[in-house]
Amino acid sequence: MERIGLIGGMSWESTAVYYRRINEMVRERLGGLHSADIVMRSVDFHDIVELQKAGNWAEAGRRLATAARELEAAGARMIVICTNTMHRLADEVRAAVRVPLVHICDVTGEALVAAGRRRPLLLATRYTMEDGFWRDRLAARTGIRAVVPEAEADRAAVHDIIFGELCRGIVCPKSRERYRAIVAQAARAQGADSVILGCTEIGLLVGPADLCLPVFDSTLLHADAAVELSLGTEALALAG
């Protein structure tokens, strides 16, 4: 079993999902009392959010790169950034270490390809939906063209629910209905054939039973990919 290095805290609500999922999958695969070999560097999300708001991605990149180096020094054999938005800085993090980075977009793209989905709706923070880094990488790697909610008000609602509620551990039925309506609209008006939960907190609010389209939860796919690499069932070369 290879040691998994997690850069977490963005938010800790979803980092807890990563920790639980990774350990559950290792126990399922190995049985008995097995659990994962994990080292984590959890940051103060308040500081990261302030850098995001200020557009100071360079400083955010330096902080994540430092965290990755600390994990490598602690014996991590791979780096997992436990957030979609901060994969905007994946290249900076990857360049800071010698071990592979498991890219959340790539593992989600593999699942979409395997399922034959070609027009997923990406639900995420405004940064991820609008900045292009996630959708551009998906298209370059798989040819899949993801769409985002057409209406600015819908994108704002998705973003605000993430930061105002889910990152604070708040799950509201009204927000679940809002997400359902946004997905239904994308299916009707944009031809969306699936949904990417492209923020690691969204799975706290909605899942496959809640939405009218097949769901691809990037958090769970990312965690599962880390387990596969840790257990040697996939070549480490598959990591970006």
Side-chain angles (χ1 to χ4, degrees):
M1 184 189 306
E2 300 283 2
R3 182 167 296 167
I4 300 170
L6 303 180
I7 303 179
M10 300 172 285
S11 68
W12 69 258
E13 295 284 349
S14 62
T15 302
V17 176
Y18 272 90
Y19 185 78
R20 174 175 291 277
R21 177 72 171 195
I22 289 170
N23 278 293
E24 287 176 343
M25 295 304 293
V26 168
R27 182 172 60 191
E28 179 180 308
R29 295 291 299 277
L30 300 182
L33 296 177
H34 281 288
S35 56
D37 186 346
I38 295 173
V39 58
M40 182 189 300
R41 176 67 170 86
S42 189
V43 304
D44 185 345
F45 194 34
H46 171 84
D47 295 341
I48 298 299
V49 170
E50 290 304 304
L51 292 172
Q52 292 174 347
K53 289 178 178 178
N56 192 352
W57 295 99
E59 176 59 24
R62 285 191 287 271
R63 295 192 187 191
L64 263 61
T66 297
R69 285 191 290 266
E70 291 170 351
L71 292 173
E72 184 178 35
R77 290 283 292 119
M78 68 195 74
I79 303 298
V80 177
I81 305 173
C82 301
T83 162
N84 277 274
T85 296
M86 300 310 283
H87 275 75
R88 174 174 176 157
L89 305 168
D91 289 344
E92 290 89 332
V93 174
R94 184 185 296 107
V97 294
R98 296 180 299 276
V99 298
L101 177 122
V102 186
H103 202 294
I104 198 166
C105 178
D106 296 348
V107 299
T108 306
E110 290 292 331
L112 288 162
V113 170
R117 300 295 164 175
R118 303 301 303 171
R119 194 169 176 81
L121 173 70
L122 175 64
L123 298 180
T125 66
R126 184 184 293 278
Y127 309 113
T128 303
M129 288 188 289
E130 297 181 356
D131 287 357
F133 68 92
W134 212 103
R135 287 189 290 162
D136 290 346
R137 185 178 180 100
L138 180 67
R141 293 288 180 118
T142 67
I144 294 173
R145 300 285 179 178
V147 298
V148 299
E150 287 184 314
E152 194 281 334
D154 287 343
R155 297 194 300 275
V158 172
H159 178 94
D160 291 345
I161 288 166
I162 290 167
F163 281 97
E165 298 174 16
L166 302 180
C167 288
R168 302 169 188 268
I170 300 168
V171 178
C172 295
K174 183 182 292 186
S175 296
R176 183 177 294 113
E177 291 305 315
R178 185 78 167 96
Y179 271 45
R180 282 175 171 163
I182 291 169
V183 170
Q185 172 64 17
R188 289 192 302 268
Q190 297 173 266
D193 65 3
S194 52
V195 181
I196 299 168
L197 305 187
C199 173
T200 52
E201 284 81 24
I202 295 179
L204 301 172
L205 181 66
V206 295
D210 300 304
L211 302 175
C212 63
L213 294 174
V215 170
F216 294 81
D217 188 331
S218 63
T219 303
L220 303 184
L221 292 167
H222 201 201
D224 291 353
V227 171
E228 293 301 312
L229 293 172
S230 174
L231 297 181
T233 50
E234 298 286 349
L236 278 175
L238 291 178

